[in-house]
Amino acid sequence: MSEILTKARARNVFYGGSIFFVVVFVALTAQSHRHITQTATAGMELTDEVRHGKHVWERHSCINCHTLHGEGAYFAPELGNVMTRWGATEDPELAYEILDGWMKAQPSGIEGRRQMPSFEITDEEMRALAEFLRWADQTDTQNWPPNDAG
Amino acid sequence: MKYQSQKVAYAYFIAAMGLFAIQVLGGLLLGWIYVSPNTLSEVLPFNIVRMIHTNALIVWLLLGFFGAAYYLVPEESEREIFSVKLAYLQLAILVVGTLGAVGSYLVGIHGGREFLEQPLWVKVGILVAAVIFLVNLSLTFLAGRKTAITNILMMGLWLLCLLWVFAFINPDNLSLDKMYWWFVVHLWVEATWELVMAAILGFLMLKLTGVDREVIEKWLYVIVATALFSGILGTGHHFYWIGTPGYWQWIGSIFSTFEVVPFFAMMSFAVIMVWKGRKNHPNKAALLWSLGSSTVAFFGAGVWGFLHTLHGVNFYTHGTQITAAHGHLSFYGAYVALNLAMFSYAMPVLKGRAPYNQVLNMASFWLMTGGMAFMTFTLTFAGTIQTHMQRIVGDYYMDVQDQLGLFYVMRFGSGVAVVIGAILFIYAMLVVRREVVKPGPVIKDAAVPGE
Ligand code: HEM
Ligand SMILES: [Fe+2]
C-alpha cells in the first residue's frame, strides 16, 4: 500500500469518509426520532404520570439489576414486558395492584435466592411506576422479546 | 522524561490505579453476590455495587487516557504543557467528583440511566474538567509539532468530550432516552475511544519497536478510518429492539460486522511493528501489555462482538449473559490492558529509573488475562444455556438462573485471579525497587537457529 496510499491520502480519506458517515447517521437518527414519537410509542399517551413513573424508575436505579427492552444489568428479569406477563397491559388498576403487592413483599429473605431491596415508594409513585411499565410494554420493539419469559 | 510537565501524568496514573482497585474489588463482590445472593443484600444491594463497579471503570480509564495524553503530547509536540496548574486542577475536580459519586451512591443518591448515574453536580464537574483538559492540551498541540499520533489523539479526545453532552439529555420518552444514551455509550467505545486507543498504541509502537514514523502513521490513518466508517453506522446494532425503525436491523448488522476490521488491523499492526522493529527495548512488560491489549481487544470486541451482532442472533441473545461476556473481555482487552501498557511504559520513565519491576508485572499480565479469558468462557456458556432455555424454550428467567449456579461459581474463581493480578500490578508499579529475577547475559547477534 506504499505507492498509491500515501499518508496524506490516507488522512484525507479518513476525514472525508468520517464526515460522510456522520451526515448519514444524523439523517437516520432524525428519521428514527420521528418514528419513535409518532409510531413506535404512539400506542399509549405519554402522560405526566408516565413521566413521573420514569423518574421513580430512575431514582431507585432499577436498571442496575433488571433489563428494560434488553438493556441494563442481567441480575434480575426483563421488565419491558412484565405487564404482559401479568396480563395487565390494558388494566391500570390491576397493574398497580400486582406491582404494589410485589414490591411490598421484598426482600423475600429466602436463603440462596437473589434479593430485591425494599424501596420507599408512596402510593402515588407506585401508580406512576405501574403506568410507566405499561407504557414501556406497548412500545413497538420489532416483536422482541421472542416470548413472554422476556 | 524530556519535558518536566510530563510529570503530571504520574498523578493521573496513581489516581487511575486507585480507582482500578476499587473497580475490581467491587466486581469481586458482585461475583460473590451471584454465588451467595443474601450477602449484604439489605445494606449494600447489587445495583449500588454495580454502579460503583462500572463508574469506577469508566473514570479510571478516562484518567488513564488523560494521563497518557499529558505524557505523550509534550513529547510529540516538542514543548511543555500549556499549564501544569490547570492539569492538576482538572485532576482534582475529577477525583473529588468520583469520590463524591461513590459516596452518594452509598447513601442512595443517584440517577437511573445505566453508566450515567452520577448526580448532576458530578456530571457538570466532568464537563468542566473536560473543557479544562481540551483547552490546556489544544493550546499545547497547536503551538507545537503536529504528528498523526497527536492529530488522532486530539480528535478522539475532542469528540468523546463533546459526546458527553448527551449525558445531560434525558428525554421523557423511554425509546428516545435509549437512542440518545447510545450516543455516549456506543460512540465512545466503538468510535472515539478507538481513536485514542490507536494513537496510544501507535506511540507505544514508535517508542518500543523503533519502526519508522512514516510507516506507523500511515497505518494509524487506515485503522481509524475503518473504525469510524464501521462504528458510526454500527450504532445500529443497538437499535434493533428499542422502538427504533426496522431498517436498523440491516444497517446495524452490516456495518457492525465491519467493526471487526479496525480491531483486526490494530492487532496486525502491533504484531507486524514488533516483527519489523529492530530495537531491543528493555521494557518487555510494556511490550507484552501492548501486544496483549491489541490481541485481546480483537477477541473481546471483534470476535465476541460479532458473535451476537447480527440481528438474527441478537434477537435471541440480547440482554443475556452473552452480553456480559462480551462487555467484560472487550473492555479489558481494548481499554484496560492498553492503559496498563501505557502505565508500564511511562511509570519507569516518570520515576527516572530502569524498568525494574518487569517480572512481577508480566506475571500480573498472565493472571489478569487468564482470569478474564476464563470469565468470558464461563459467562458465554452460561449465556448459551440461558438463551436456549429462556428465549427458545420459554422458561421463566429465575428458573433458568437457578440452573446456572456452577458457571457463576467458576466466574467468581476467575474474578479472584483477576483481583490478585490487579493488586500485583499496582504493587509492581509502585512498590518494587529491584528486579525479582536476575536477567541472563545479553547475547549479541543471537540469531542462530536450531540450537
Ligand atoms: C472495545 C470495544 C467494545 C466495548 C468496550 C464494548 C462493550 C460493550 C458493552 C459494555 C455492552 C453492553 C452494553 C449494555 O449495558 O447494554 C456491549 C453491547 C454490545 N456490543 Fe460491544 N463493545 C465493543 C465492541 C463491539 C464490537 C466491535 C461489536 C460488534 C462487532 C460489538 C457488539 C455489541 C452488541 C451487538 C451489543 C449488544 C448486546 C445485546 O444485545 O445485549 N461490540 N458492548
Ligand atoms: Fe456497540
Side-chain angles (χ1 to χ4, degrees):
Chain A
M1 60 178 196
S2 48
E3 293 304 305
I4 330 149
L5 192 68
T6 59
K7 190 171 99 185
R9 214 168 261 168
R11 186 190 57 213
N12 293 343
V13 169
F14 166 58
Y15 289 140
S18 300
I19 291 170
F20 171 77
F21 283 109
V22 168
V23 170
V24 174
F25 183 66
V26 169
L28 290 174
T29 305
Q31 202 280 334
S32 300
H33 187 121
R34 211 168 321 121
H35 173 89
I36 286 172
T37 52
Q38 292 176 7
T39 312
T41 63
M44 186 174 147
E45 201 195 330
L46 183 56
T47 58
D48 283 344
E49 197 171 28
V50 173
R51 278 192 193 96
H52 184 192
K54 184 166 182 278
H55 293 146
V56 176
W57 164 266
E58 288 169 359
R59 189 163 67 247
H60 297 289
S61 191
C62 313
I63 198 76
N64 273 296
C65 286
H66 292 276
T67 49
L68 184 60
H69 298 334
E71 294 167 3
Y74 319 108
F75 184 72
E78 164 66 26
L79 295 183
N81 69 338
V82 67
M83 290 300 168
T84 303
R85 278 202 295 280
W86 289 346
T89 46
E90 304 300 328
D91 188 342
E93 198 52 39
L94 182 67
Y96 161 73
E97 270 163 25
I98 304 183
L99 182 65
D100 191 54
W102 170 262
M103 302 275 290
K104 294 213 165 114
Q106 309 304 321
S108 72
I110 300 171
E111 195 55 39
R113 191 176 171 83
R114 293 185 194 169
Q115 295 297 305
M116 175 163 149
S118 125
F119 296 103
E120 277 169 37
I121 293 182
T122 65
D123 279 352
E124 191 199 343
E125 287 173 342
M126 194 69 82
R127 281 185 192 278
L129 189 55
E131 284 307 276
F132 169 66
L133 290 173
R134 272 198 335 111
W135 185 91
D137 202 323
Q138 55 80 43
T139 306
D140 173 10
T141 53
Q142 310 285 336
N143 294 322
W144 193 89
N147 56 53
D148 289 353
Chain B
M1 202 168 53
K2 286 201 191 105
Y3 299 91
Q4 274 313 308
S5 54
Q6 285 178 290
K7 192 86 193 178
V8 294
Y10 185 71
Y12 276 81
F13 293 162
I14 301 279
M17 283 190 276
L19 287 176
F20 179 35
I22 295 179
Q23 180 228 326
V24 292
L25 289 172
L28 194 66
L29 177 56
L30 291 167
W32 181 248
I33 296 176
Y34 260 96
V35 173
S36 176
N38 305 78
T39 311
L40 299 178
S41 62
E42 314 254 327
V43 261
L44 202 56
F46 185 91
N47 60 338
I48 304 289
V49 188
R50 186 174 188 266
M51 287 189 277
I52 294 172
H53 176 60
T54 59
N55 285 222
L57 167 72
I58 295 164
V59 178
W60 90 253
L61 294 177
L62 286 172
L63 286 177
F65 289 161
F66 292 148
Y70 280 128
Y71 183 88
L72 72 78
V73 169
E75 214 162 296
E76 290 285 295
S77 310
E78 299 181 328
R79 63 197 346 85
E80 300 286 350
I81 292 169
F82 171 73
S83 162
V84 172
K85 275 210 191 85
L86 279 180
Y88 283 119
L89 175 68
Q90 178 205 345
L91 178 63
I93 294 174
L94 286 171
V95 169
V96 170
T98 311
L99 295 180
V102 171
S104 69
Y105 296 167
L106 290 174
V107 297
I109 301 168
H110 46 69
R113 294 169 90 205
E114 196 189 1
F115 310 142
L116 305 180
E117 300 92 350
Q118 307 80 23
L120 186 63
W121 71 269
V122 176
K123 284 205 180 83
V124 174
I126 294 175
L127 188 68
V128 172
V131 171
I132 294 177
F133 173 75
L134 292 175
V135 169
N136 201 5
L137 261 196
S138 299
L139 289 176
T140 316
F141 165 77
L142 289 174
R145 176 179 72 146
K146 287 161 201 73
T147 67
I149 291 176
T150 49
N151 269 345
I152 292 168
L153 182 71
M154 292 307 296
M155 183 173 163
L157 291 166
W158 262 96
L159 292 176
L160 86 84
C161 290
L162 285 177
L163 286 168
W164 180 246
V165 169
F166 286 97
F168 295 87
I169 298 176
N170 180 11
D172 292 328
N173 183 309
L174 177 70
S175 292
L176 290 182
D177 165 358
K178 284 174 173 294
M179 186 171 77
Y180 291 111
W181 179 81
W182 284 111
F183 277 45
V184 188
V185 178
H186 171 96
L187 290 178
W188 268 15
V189 298
E190 287 161 75
T192 49
W193 286 28
E194 277 183 68
L195 303 199
V196 177
M197 174 180 180
I200 294 177
L201 194 64
F203 177 78
L204 287 169
M205 286 299 124
L206 189 68
K207 297 289 160 181
L208 294 172
T209 69
V211 169
D212 193 37
R213 180 183 282 278
E214 273 302 299
V215 179
I216 287 185
E217 299 203 323
K218 191 165 33 171
W219 265 92
L220 282 189
Y221 278 121
V222 174
I223 289 170
V224 292
T226 60
L228 292 197
F229 295 1
S230 62
I232 294 172
L233 288 179
T235 317
H237 66 184
H238 304 293
F239 294 170
Y240 297 156
W241 330 114
I242 60 169
T244 27
Y247 55 72
W248 286 110
Q249 293 178 12
W250 286 102
I251 299 177
S253 293
I254 292 168
F255 281 89
S256 69
T257 297
F258 285 112
E259 285 183 31
V260 179
V261 175
F263 288 102
F264 186 76
M266 277 192 270
M267 177 174 68
S268 315
F269 166 67
V271 171
I272 293 173
M273 290 307 113
V274 171
W275 179 248
K276 279 173 82 133
R278 308 215 156 258
K279 199 161 164 184
N280 187 10
H281 197 283
N283 197 334
K284 300 286 178 259
L287 196 64
L288 178 63
W289 278 107
S290 307
L291 285 170
S293 166
S294 52
T295 307
V296 181
F298 169 67
F299 281 96
V303 178
W304 258 261
F306 177 70
L307 181 71
H308 59 162
T309 208
L310 298 177
H311 66 87
V313 177
N314 192 265
F315 183 66
Y316 295 102
T317 60
H318 181 48
T320 63
Q321 295 297 328
I322 299 278
T323 313
H326 157 69
H328 281 88
L329 198 64
S330 55
F331 259 110
Y332 173 72
Y335 303 122
V336 171
L338 182 81
N339 264 306
L340 300 187
M342 188 66 196
F343 298 176
S344 300
Y345 171 76
M347 285 298 268
V349 186
L350 289 165
K351 288 183 146 188
R353 62 188 202 200
Y356 286 131
N357 35 29
Q358 297 206 55
V359 175
L360 289 184
N361 186 338
M362 289 193 275
S364 83
F365 170 86
W366 290 110
L367 262 175
M368 272 190 260
T369 305
M372 290 308 298
F374 195 83
M375 183 184 302
T376 306
F377 297 141
T378 57
L379 291 179
T380 305
F381 290 134
T384 307
I385 294 174
Q386 182 189 4
T387 301
H388 181 77
M389 289 180 72
Q390 186 183 323
R391 295 287 163 73
I392 294 174
V393 178
D395 289 338
Y396 179 59
Y397 175 92
M398 289 303 280
D399 299 337
V400 175
Q401 292 297 316
D402 285 342
Q403 306 293 312
L404 302 177
L406 178 63
F407 296 105
Y408 294 135
V409 171
M410 292 194 290
R411 192 268 293 272
F412 178 74
S414 64
V416 172
V418 174
V419 170
I420 295 174
I423 291 170
L424 189 61
F425 180 88
I426 296 172
Y427 175 76
M429 282 289 112
L430 297 182
V431 185
V432 183
R433 315 199 121 263
R434 184 159 50 77
E435 191 59 271
V436 292
V437 177
K438 236 173 112 186
V442 178
I443 302 163
K444 285 250 163 74
D445 299 320
V448 188
E451 281 210 347

